[in-house]
C-alpha cells in the first residue's frame, strides 16, 4: 500500500509542475507576441524616429463609431472593434485593408493627407498603401 500511495503522490506533483510550466510558457508567449497597439481614447502612435506620417490614421468624430477593422492583407487583424468619441489610432504598415462600419463617423488620414469623408451610415472598404507602396 505504501508504494501505491507514493506513486500517486509523485504523479500528482508531476501534474502540478506540468500545469505550472504550461501556464508560465503561455503567459510569456502572449505578452511578447503582440505588437503594441493604441486602444485608449486620445492615443495615437507617433514614431518620431521614423519622421513620417502614418499609413492610415483614424479619429472617431461621433459619440461611438461602429466597428472599424484594419488588417494586413493576408495577415494579422490589427483592429476590429468600435471606437469611442475622440479616440485616435494610427498604423505604419506598408499596406492595410480597412473596413469602416459607418464611414461618416470616422475621420481618416492616409499618409498625412485627409481622405474624403464617407457617407453617414454607409459601410466603406478600401486599401491604404504607405509611401512607395
Amino acid at each position: 500500500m505504501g508504494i501505491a500511495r507514493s506513486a500517486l503522490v509523485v504523479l500528482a506533483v508531476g501534474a502540478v509542475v506540468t500545469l505550472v510550466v504550461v501556464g508560465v510558457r503561455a503567459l510569456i508567449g502572449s505578452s511578447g507576441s503582440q505588437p503594441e497597439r493604441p486602444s485608449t481614447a486620445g492615443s495615437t502612435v507617433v514614431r518620431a524616429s521614423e519622421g513620417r506620417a502614418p499609413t492610415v490614421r483614424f479619429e472617431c468624430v461621433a459619440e461611438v463609431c461602429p466597428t472599424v477593422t484594419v488588417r494586413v492583407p493576408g495577415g494579422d487583424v490589427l483592429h476590429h472593434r468600435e471606437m469611442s468619441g475622440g479616440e485616435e489610432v494610427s498604423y505604419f504598415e506598408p499596406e492595410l485593408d480597412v473596413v469602416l462600419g459607418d464611414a461618416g463617423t470616422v475621420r481618416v488620414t492616409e499618409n498625412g493627407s485627409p481622405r474624403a469623408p464617407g457617407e453617414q451610415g454607409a459601410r466603406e472598404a478600401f486599401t491604404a498603401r504607405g509611401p512607395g507602396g
Side-chain angles (χ1 to χ4, degrees), residues 5-113:
R5 183 174 284 160
S6 295
L8 239 98
V9 168
V10 168
L11 284 173
V13 169
V16 168
V17 169
T18 301
L19 286 173
V20 169
V21 168
V22 168
V24 168
R25 292 184 82 189
L27 284 174
I28 290 172
S30 69
S31 67
S33 65
Q34 295 295 320
E36 186 176 318
R37 298 285 173 216
S39 62
T40 58
S43 65
T44 301
V45 176
V46 177
R47 299 178 186 170
S49 62
E50 292 183 13
R52 64 182 174 99
T55 304
V56 69
R57 177 182 167 274
F58 305 97
E59 179 184 1
C60 179
V61 295
E63 188 173 319
V64 175
C65 296
T67 305
V68 174
T69 303
V70 181
R71 71 185 283 269
V72 176
D76 294 334
V77 174
L78 306 176
H79 187 101
H80 180 74
R81 63 178 175 79
E82 291 182 344
M83 294 174 64
S84 302
E87 182 178 356
E88 300 174 14
V89 291
S90 298
Y91 297 97
F92 290 83
E93 283 70 13
E95 186 173 0
L96 296 164
D97 288 334
V98 177
V99 178
L100 306 174
D102 182 347
T105 61
V106 182
R107 183 177 298 137
V108 180
T109 306
E110 285 185 70
N111 302 306
S113 299

